[in-house]
Amino acid sequence: LKAVLGDGVGTIDLHSDAELQEVHCFLPVSGSYTYTYHANVQRWLCKEDSHDLEGIMTRDLLKQCAGCPEW
């Protein structure tokens, strides 16, 4: 999945690895991370420091986006 946020803003890239059951994510503000699903909390958590994928994506989007999208 690729989401282009606009000229000069950046792109969010998500890639899944079915064999390893991981999601690799690149965010323009926060950088690259790898996530695994934790069924006990029903969340994708970072392998490096256990932060939540949904939370970091929300923070990055709030920092990068303003106004309404141009569909």
Side-chain angles (χ1 to χ4, degrees):
L1 172 71
K2 180 183 269 190
V4 179
L5 302 177
D7 294 336
V9 177
T11 301
I12 294 174
D13 283 310
L14 293 172
H15 302 278
S16 63
D17 186 326
E19 185 177 318
L20 295 176
Q21 297 183 344
E22 296 177 340
V23 171
H24 304 279
C25 179
F26 174 79
L27 299 163
V29 173
S30 299
S32 296
Y33 293 100
T34 301
Y35 298 87
T36 56
Y37 188 72
H38 293 257
N40 58 327
V41 292
Q42 298 181 335
R43 295 279 184 208
W44 288 92
L45 300 178
C46 179
K47 290 178 72 173
E48 291 82 17
D49 64 7
S50 297
H51 71 263
D52 180 83
L53 174 61
E54 182 181 347
I56 200 165
M57 285 188 72
T58 300
R59 288 188 295 277
D60 264 42
L61 286 171
L62 286 172
K63 290 177 184 175
Q64 294 295 313
C65 297
C68 296
E70 295 179 18
W71 306 106

